Structures are given as structure tokens and as C-alpha cells.
């Protein structure tokens, strides 16, 4: 296949580029580098099966030649990124998804949307299964991201229903690993960066809010399986090991041997921060035979090693 990955220079997108290349496909990564970096794909320079196109996919996408699959991953994804770029986030979810769908339709390509557990907002149902419609505040600070993704999902289903397009929607739960930006503000780079520098970890609020953290390799496997499946309805991909942020901080300190402890800081917590989040992953288990393979401690060890290199290279 020749596969187009929007957001291909980002954290997840760059790992997808690696996976599709190693599966003997050709890859075109399109990215405007708003939150990503060419460092994530610099190891692919010179690979004749890989092309990078610098482009904002909220504008019309012109791409000559055959394309067999479009994976639309372009979007700011970290809360501080989408608060910094609220209009760009809404545009890439709306116009970017429209352009990526239009291209896929013109090329008769399969289409996969990177959606998010944020479509469930601050959920009132726990765990969240795909038929839960969510609890999103459209005018809250996170609304720009949540509503962009909800609109994107609606658009994908409209193209499927009206044009008979072969589409997929993956609802991604918290994913971490090498190539996250150290300063992207998400809890994993924040905590790991602080731990490597020997600083106390900043837990927002009382740390009772929960998340489920999956390692990047597990997500990539789920995305590949979903693309290969014939399943059009949304599918959650995420681990079901739920941890409070306070316990997560303790795990990071233990794995990194950081003696500096924890500080509680409510100042940086963003309004609407979901109190709980955990996927009902039975659809991914049953349909895709997908189960996460990487334990939190192992994934963190690999992520800490990556961030150590990044910090050593810049100091
Ligand atoms: P990221 O910021 O590392 O990657 C996003 C990439 O998209 C960046 O390289 C950025 O420059 C690019 N981009 C943004 N707007 C663009 C535009 N208009 N045109 C072209 N490129 C553009 O974030 P990530 O964590 O890799 O997230 C990738 C995708 O996965 C996003 O769609 C995000 O919503 C989704 N997702 C991620 C997570 C997670 O835990 N990491 C969870 C749920 C959903
Ligand atoms: N968080 C924290 N300290 C930090 C960064 C984040 O306690 O330094 C908390 C944040 O309030 C949220 C959770 O960690 O409850 C996950 O935040 P993240 O930004 O990684 O992603 P989210 O799941 O909220 O989209």
C-alpha cells in the first residue's frame, strides 16, 4: 500500500510511519510541524519508501499518485497545545478532516480517523463504552478539542453513509512513549522530565483523578488491526489498568529512583479535567483480538531512557 499519514511528524504519527514502513508499505507523512518536529522522522530521511510533505491539512491537500489508505492523525493533542492553538485545533478537526476525507474519496482509499477518549468529556458512565454519548462542555476550555473530534467523527460517518466510503474511527485513550515532546505539558513528559532532573512531581489537584496509560507500541498494533478489520463503528483502544494520578506519580518516582517526592499544585489544572477515564475495551478485544502487551513499568522504563537522551543532548 501507499499510505498517507497526516500528523506524521508527531508522536503517534511518527511511530505509525515506522510501523507501515517495516510492514513493507510506502508512506507519505504530511505535517505542518505546529506541535510535531522533523526530529521524529529524521531517521527516515533517505528511505526511498518514505516522503515528507510540509503542509497544513486544513487547506486543500494535493497529492499526486495512488493512495490506498489515509490515516488522519493531524491535530494538537496535549491540553496546553490545544489551549494555545484553539482555532487551529477546531480547523484541523473540521476542515482538516474534510480535506483528508475528500482526498481519500478521490483516491478510493480506506480512511481512518484518530479520535479520542475526550469525546466522552468528563464521563458520567464508567468505564466508557463506545455507545456512551459523553458529557462534553462545548464552551469549556477543552471544548475546542472535544467538539472538533466529535464533529470529525460525525463527518466520517456521513462520508461512510452518503458515499459508501470504507472508514474507521479509533478512540485513543492516554498513550505515552518515546517522541512525546518534553514540554508538551502532558502528565507523562512532565513527570518523567521532573524525575530525571531530580525534582518533585507536580500533581494537579489532590491526584484522585484517574487515567489508563497505554504504551505507544500497543496503540500502533491496535490501529493496524482496526485498519485491517472491516469495522466502521468507533473502537476504543486503551488499557484498562486505571491509576490515580497520585499513584501514577509514585510509580514514576519508583521506576526512575527519584527521591524528590511529590508536590500538589492546583494552579495549572485545566477546568473540565476529567475526574475518571477508563475504556471498556471489549470491542477491541472481541473484534480485533487486541490486548495491550506492555506493562506500565516497562513502558515507563523505555520512556525514561528516551527522555534522558533528550535532556542530555540539550544540557
Ligand atoms: P502530536 O502533537 O505529537 O502530533 C500531532 C501532529 O499533527 C504534529 O506533528 C502536528 O504538527 C501535526 N498537525 C497538527 N495540526 C496540523 C495541520 N493543520 N496540518 C498538518 N499537520 C498538523 O500529538 P499525538 O499525541 O501524536 O496525537 C496524534 C493524534 O492522536 C491526534 O489526532 C490526537 O488527537 C490523537 N490522540 C492522541 C492521544 C494521546 O494520548 N497521545 C490520545 C487521544 C487521541
Ligand atoms: N497532571 C498532573 N500534573 C502534571 C500534568 C498533568 O497532575 O504535571 C494531571 C492532569 O490534571 C490530568 C492528568 O494528569 O488529570 C492527565 O493529564 P494530561 O495532560 O496528560 O492528559 P489528559 O488525560 O487530561 O488529556
Amino acid at each position: 500500500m501507499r499510505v498517507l499519514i497526516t500528523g506524521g511528524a508527531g508522536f503517534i504519527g511518527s511511530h505509525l510511519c515506522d510501523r507501515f514502513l517495516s510492514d513493507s508499505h510506502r508512506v507519505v507523512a504530511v505535517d505542518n510541524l505546529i506541535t510535531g518536529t522533523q526530529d521524529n522522522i529524521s531517521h527516515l530521511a533517505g528511505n526511498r519508501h518514505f516522503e515528507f510533505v510540509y503542509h497544513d491539512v486544513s487547506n486543500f491537500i494535493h497529492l499526486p499518485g495512488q493512495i490506498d489508505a489515509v490515516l488522519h492523525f493531524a491535530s494538537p493533542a496535549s491540553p496546553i497545545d490545544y489551549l494555545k492553538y484553539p482555532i487551529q485545533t477546531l480547523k484541523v478537526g473540521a476542515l482538516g478532516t474534510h480535506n483528508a476525507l475528500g482526498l481519500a474519496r478521490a483516491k478510493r482509499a480506506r480512511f481512518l480517523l484518530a479520535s479520542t477518549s475526550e469525546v466522552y468529556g468528563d464521563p458520567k458512565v464508567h468505564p466508557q463504552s463506545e455507545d456512551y454519548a459523553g458529557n462534553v462542555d462545548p464552551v469549556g476550555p477543552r471544548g475546542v478539542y472535544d467538539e472538533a473530534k466529535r464533529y470529525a467523527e460525525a463527518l466520517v460517518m456521513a462520508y461512510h453513509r452518503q458515499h459508501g466510503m470504507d472508514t474507521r474511527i479509533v478512540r485513543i485513550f492516554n498513550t505515552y512513549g518515546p517522541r512525546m515532546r518534553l514540554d508538551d505539558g502532558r502528565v507523562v513528559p512532565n513527570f518523567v522530565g521532573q524525575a530525571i532532573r531530580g525534582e518533585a512531581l507536580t500533581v494537579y489537584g489532590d491526584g484522585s483523578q484517574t487515567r489508563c496509560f497505554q504504551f505507544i507500541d500497543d496503540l500502533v498494533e491496535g490501529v493496524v488491526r482496526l485498519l485491517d478489520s472491516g469495522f466502521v463503528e468507533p473502537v476504543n483502544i486503551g488499557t484498562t489498568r486505571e491509576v490515580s494520578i497520585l499513584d501514577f506519580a509514585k510509580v514514576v518516582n519508583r521506576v526512575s529512583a527519584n527521591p524528590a517526592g511529590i508536590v500538589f499544585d492546583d494552579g495549572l489544572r485545566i477546568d473540565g479535567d476529567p475526574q475518571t477515564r477508563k475504556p471498556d475495551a471489549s470491542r477491541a478485544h472481541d473484534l480485533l483480538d487486541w490486548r495491550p502487551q506492555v506493562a506500565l513499568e516497562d513502558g515507563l522504563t523505555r520512556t525514561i531512557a528516551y527522555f534522558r537522551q533528550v535532556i542530555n543532548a540539550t544540557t
Side-chain angles (χ1 to χ4, degrees), residues 86-109:
I87 296 171
Q88 290 92 331
T89 302
L90 281 158
K91 284 177 73 174
V92 75
L95 303 173
T97 304
H98 190 208
N99 290 327
L101 277 163
L103 179 81
R105 182 168 179 238
K107 304 283 186 187
R108 299 182 188 282

Side-chain angles (χ1 to χ4, degrees), residues 4-38:
L4 167 64
I5 302 175
T6 76
F11 158 51
I12 297 175
S14 65
H15 286 279
L16 286 169
C17 292
D18 289 346
R19 172 63 187 261
F20 280 95
L21 288 167
S22 80
D23 287 349
S24 302
H25 300 297
R26 288 175 292 152
V27 172
V28 184
V30 179
D31 203 299
N32 68 350
L33 304 178
I34 187 173
T35 58
T37 164
Q38 271 184 297

Side-chain angles (χ1 to χ4, degrees), residues 7-76:
F11 158 51
I12 297 175
S14 65
H15 286 279
L16 286 169
C17 292
D18 289 346
R19 172 63 187 261
F20 280 95
L21 288 167
S22 80
D23 287 349
S24 302
H25 300 297
R26 288 175 292 152
V27 172
V28 184
V30 179
D31 203 299
N32 68 350
L33 304 178
I34 187 173
T35 58
T37 164
Q38 271 184 297
D39 293 348
N40 288 337
I41 48 170
S42 56
H43 59 289
L44 300 176
N47 182 328
R48 64 192 175 86
H49 297 296
F50 179 73
E51 295 161 65
F52 174 71
V53 178
Y54 176 80
H55 180 67
D56 179 343
V57 297
S58 296
N59 300 317
F60 184 85
I61 310 165
H62 175 71
L63 199 64
Q66 161 204 348
I67 294 285
D68 304 288
V70 174
L71 287 86
H72 181 41
F73 278 71
S75 172

Side-chain angles (χ1 to χ4, degrees), residues 108-129:
R108 299 182 188 282
R110 189 172 291 179
F111 183 90
L112 182 143
L113 172 70
S115 186
T116 169
S117 53
E118 280 277 332
V119 298
Y120 303 121
D122 191 2
K124 294 192 184 302
V125 168
H126 195 75
Q128 295 84 53
S129 66

Side-chain angles (χ1 to χ4, degrees), residues 79 118 142 174 185-187 190-191 202-204 209 211 245 269 273 277:
E118 280 277 332
R142 301 173 82 107
N174 291 66
R186 287 185 272 192
V187 68
N190 272 13
F191 282 3
T202 52
V203 168
Y204 300 164
Q209 69 271 33
R211 296 291 187 273
I245 294 301
R269 194 171 182 190
D273 188 357
R277 181 184 290 155

Side-chain angles (χ1 to χ4, degrees), residues 59-305:
N59 300 317
F60 184 85
I61 310 165
H62 175 71
L63 199 64
Q66 161 204 348
I67 294 285
D68 304 288
V70 174
L71 287 86
H72 181 41
F73 278 71
S75 172
S78 147
I80 65 158
D81 284 347
Y82 56 75
L83 292 180
K84 185 173 173 193
Y85 301 114
I87 296 171
Q88 290 92 331
T89 302
L90 281 158
K91 284 177 73 174
V92 75
L95 303 173
T97 304
H98 190 208
N99 290 327
L101 277 163
L103 179 81
R105 182 168 179 238
K107 304 283 186 187
R108 299 182 188 282
R110 189 172 291 179
F111 183 90
L112 182 143
L113 172 70
S115 186
T116 169
S117 53
E118 280 277 332
V119 298
Y120 303 121
D122 191 2
K124 294 192 184 302
V125 168
H126 195 75
Q128 295 84 53
S129 66
E130 290 86 349
D131 54 13
Y132 174 49
N135 175 39
V136 169
D137 175 3
V139 294
R142 301 173 82 107
V144 294
Y145 181 68
D146 302 5
E147 296 295 5
K149 292 289 186 180
R150 289 169 69 92
Y151 175 85
E153 287 197 8
L155 198 57
V156 169
M157 291 310 294
Y159 269 69
H160 169 71
R161 292 182 182 126
Q162 192 170 333
H163 296 308
M165 269 181 65
D166 190 17
T167 56
R168 310 279 182 274
I169 296 172
V170 55
R171 290 187 181 153
I172 302 169
F173 283 66
N174 291 66
T175 306
Y176 71 96
R179 302 188 195 151
M180 295 185 96
R181 247 180 37 242
L182 189 55
D183 64 350
D184 89 359
R186 287 185 272 192
V187 68
V188 174
N190 272 13
F191 282 3
V192 171
Q194 289 160 343
I196 292 170
R197 292 188 294 264
E199 299 165 5
L201 274 47
T202 52
V203 168
Y204 300 164
D206 63 4
S208 63
Q209 69 271 33
T210 66
R211 296 291 187 273
C212 301
F213 294 99
Q214 73 180 329
F215 191 63
I216 180 67
D217 294 5
D218 285 326
L219 171 70
V220 166
E221 181 62 31
V223 168
V224 168
R225 286 183 189 219
L226 178 61
L227 185 70
D228 287 346
S229 78
F231 198 73
V232 169
E233 301 292 317
V235 177
N236 291 337
I237 299 284
T239 72
T240 51
R241 176 173 167 187
E242 186 177 14
V243 286
S244 71
I245 294 301
L246 181 56
D247 284 342
F248 181 60
K250 291 175 184 166
V251 175
V252 172
N253 274 340
R254 192 176 69 241
V255 174
S256 60
N258 177 29
I262 287 164
V263 288
F264 293 90
D265 181 344
D266 215 14
L268 292 170
R269 194 171 182 190
I270 297 164
D271 281 351
D273 188 357
Q275 183 57 29
T276 55
R277 181 184 290 155
K278 176 183 176 179
D280 176 338
S282 46
R283 198 174 265 186
H285 295 171
D286 297 348
L287 290 171
L288 310 177
D289 194 23
W290 174 89
R291 279 172 188 73
Q293 304 294 320
V294 182
L296 182 59
E297 290 75 3
D298 297 336
L300 275 176
T301 301
R302 290 159 70 178
T303 306
I304 290 164

